[in-house]
Amino acid sequence: MKLAPSILSADFACLGDEVAAIEDGGADWVHVDVMDGHFVPNLTIGAPVAAAVHRVTDLPLDVHLMIDNPDDYLEDFAEAGARGLTVHQEVCPHLHRTVQRIRALGMEPGVALNPATPVAALEEIAPEVGLVLVMSVNPGFGGQSFIGGSMEKVARTRALLDRVGSSAEIEVDGGVDAGNAAALRDAGATVLVAGSAVYGHAEGAAAGVRALRRALAE
Ligand code: DX5
Ligand code: ZN
């Protein structure tokens, strides 16, 4: 089980320390949430910040693009050092081409589904992707509540991937905490993103990562 803390909930004024804290806690990936104020109602960070994070950590960068026209930025994130690049199904009319381009640029392609987008939307692309991101909140902000039906959706995603013989990761993003982590794993998730559960932990982000790990061990 991989843990990918989202730096969206970190203190941007000391981002290097915030990344070091999750590394110390045993995080597997750094989740980088890129928002454009169009596809989602929020503006966050772009490729220069991803590159800066890449310079201070050995952890793989797991970049989640919540932007219109992601095709215009694939090279930028490859150059920034992204290991995985995830685009939303809802904004990619030529998703197959986008996925192939991400792979050709040396990154692992991921496809994200909003809460209202059915798993069936993955039917044709599933064999091509390295990761499916099931959004368990409507993207745009950290700290929202987990949408209950997402648990079942993770299980349906696992069933689809199994059916097409794919070993792609299933990542869950939004409202993940120590209370639902084990159930998500049991439903078929292999990567958990957590922002507020990690960076909002009373004893700091390293403790937040360890608390999730403990919840998974119980
Ligand atoms: C939501 C982002 C998430 C978010 C997770 O739009 O994609 O990665 O930061 O934050 P929490 O864990 O607080 O829901
Ligand atoms: Zn995200």
Side-chain angles (χ1 to χ4, degrees):
M1 199 69 185
K2 294 186 182 72
L3 295 178
S6 166
I7 55 168
L8 181 60
S9 302
D11 180 352
F12 287 168
C14 44
L15 197 48
D17 294 342
E18 295 280 69
V19 172
I22 58 166
E23 216 168 333
D24 178 42
D28 298 286
W29 294 350
V30 184
H31 187 78
V32 180
D33 284 309
V34 178
M35 305 185 187
D36 66 351
H38 293 273
F39 176 58
V40 293
N42 196 7
L43 282 165
T44 56
I45 55 176
V49 174
V53 170
H54 182 57
R55 284 195 290 274
V56 298
T57 184
D58 293 329
L59 295 179
L61 293 196
D62 170 40
V63 177
H64 178 193
L65 296 184
M66 287 160 278
I67 62 175
D68 285 341
N69 308 314
D71 292 303
D72 295 347
Y73 298 93
L74 306 182
E75 280 83 2
D76 289 358
F77 285 96
E79 280 163 26
R83 170 81 64 89
L85 191 64
T86 297
V87 295
H88 269 262
Q89 185 275 343
E90 300 84 4
V91 289
C92 292
H94 308 289
L95 185 56
H96 186 274
R97 177 186 292 148
T98 303
V99 163
Q100 304 310 321
R101 281 191 56 215
I102 293 171
R103 198 180 289 289
L105 287 165
M107 300 174 288
E108 191 68 62
V111 172
L113 301 181
N114 275 340
T117 305
V119 173
L122 292 171
E123 185 81 38
E124 308 300 328
I125 199 68
E128 312 292 331
V129 303
L131 179 146
V132 173
L133 172 45
V134 176
M135 286 304 305
S136 40
V137 297
N138 288 292
F141 304 94
Q144 303 181 80
S145 308
F146 184 86
I147 296 172
S150 315
M151 201 64 79
E152 262 297 302
K153 190 172 182 181
V154 170
R156 290 197 304 278
T157 304
R158 174 51 63 202
L160 175 92
L161 292 177
D162 286 350
R163 185 157 52 74
V164 301
S166 164
S167 56
E169 306 270 12
I170 299 182
E171 184 172 50
V172 182
D173 186 1
V176 172
D177 60 23
N180 56 24
L184 284 166
R185 176 205 52 213
D186 294 346
T190 58
V191 187
L192 298 181
V193 175
S196 45
V198 167
Y199 284 103
H201 193 278
E203 286 145 40
V209 178
R210 289 190 198 106
L212 282 170
R213 195 72 78 189
R214 248 191 332 272
L216 289 165
E218 274 159 14

